[in-house]
Amino acid sequence: MAVKETIETQKVVETPSPAHSGSARMRELTPAQRRAVMFAQQQVLRARAAKKAKDERQAALARMWQEEDAEISKPRSVVRKREIMGDIKEVSLREAIGHVLRDLRTRDRKTLREVSEKAGVSLGYLSEVERGQKEASSELLASISESLGLSTSQMLRLVADYLDSVES
C-alpha cells in the first residue's frame, strides 16, 4: 500500500497548478477551437497596438497645436528680424495665399485631410497650395475658403492684410 500512496501523491503533484490552468483548458479544445482562440488573441493584440498608435498620434498632434499656439505672434517678429538683418524677402501672391490658408486651417485646428475632403481637392494639391508651390484657380480658392468657413472675399482681404504687414 505504501507504493500506491506514493503513486497517488505523484499524480497529485503532476496535476497542473492554477497558474497553468489556461494551458490545461487549451488541451481540452478541438483544433478548430484552438485556432479560434488564437485568432481572437491576435485580434486583441492588434486592437491594443492600434489604440496605442492612435493615442501617440493624438499626443503628437496636441503637442503640435501647443507649440503653434505659443508661436502665434511670431510671424510679425520674423518679418521684422528679416528687415533688421537686411534679408528682406519679397513674398509672392501665391506664397501669401498659401500662408493665409494654412494659418486659417491651423487656427481652426483642422487637418489637411479634413479641409481637402470638404473642399473636394486632393490632399497633395492642397498641401502644395499652402506651401506656395502651386497656384490655385479662383474656383479652387473659393472651395477651400468655404471649407474653412470664409467667403472668397474675406480670405482675399486676409491675404491683402498679410502682404501689407510683410511689406511694411
Side-chain angles (χ1 to χ4, degrees):
M1 256 199 154
V3 174
K4 228 179 192 184
E5 288 176 8
T6 54
I7 292 173
E8 287 177 9
T9 55
Q10 284 178 351
K11 284 183 182 176
V12 171
V13 172
E14 288 178 8
T15 57
S17 64
H20 298 288
S21 63
S23 59
R25 286 189 215 145
M26 282 292 280
R27 280 187 237 135
E28 296 171 3
L29 298 176
T30 65
Q33 289 171 327
R34 282 189 204 133
R35 283 193 301 272
V37 167
M38 290 179 69
F39 178 75
Q41 289 172 340
Q42 289 173 347
Q43 293 297 91
V44 167
L45 292 175
R46 285 187 185 129
R48 286 180 185 160
K51 183 180 182 326
K52 182 180 177 184
K54 180 182 176 186
D55 291 344
E56 288 172 356
R57 283 192 306 270
Q58 287 178 337
L61 191 60
R63 281 193 306 274
M64 183 186 78
W65 292 130
Q66 287 174 347
E67 290 171 5
E68 208 166 280
D69 287 344
E71 295 179 4
I72 284 180
S73 62
K74 275 195 177 178
R76 292 180 190 257
S77 61
V78 170
V79 170
R80 289 186 187 129
K81 284 181 187 173
R82 286 183 186 161
E83 290 173 4
I84 292 170
M85 297 169 65
D87 185 24
I88 300 174
K89 179 185 173 190
E90 285 192 28
V91 177
S92 69
L93 179 60
R94 180 181 66 222
E95 292 170 331
I97 290 171
H99 174 82
V100 168
L101 290 175
R102 177 165 287 177
D103 189 49
L104 289 169
R105 178 181 59 79
T106 55
R107 285 185 187 203
D108 286 347
R109 299 189 186 284
K110 293 183 179 176
T111 64
L112 271 171
R113 185 173 307 282
E114 292 170 340
V115 174
S116 69
E117 288 174 357
K118 192 170 182 182
V121 180
S122 77
L123 189 134
Y125 192 78
L126 179 60
S127 175
E128 289 177 331
V129 168
E130 283 189 358
R131 287 181 281 145
Q133 295 177 342
K134 294 279 185 181
E135 294 224 16
S137 66
S138 57
E139 293 85 7
L140 192 64
L141 287 175
S143 177
I144 295 169
S145 297
E146 286 177 25
S147 70
L148 293 169
L150 294 170
S151 67
T152 308
S153 61
Q154 290 172 320
M155 189 270 302
L156 290 174
R157 280 189 209 106
L158 291 171
V159 171
D161 291 343
Y162 172 73
L163 286 171
D164 283 340
S165 71
V166 171
E167 292 173 358
S168 60

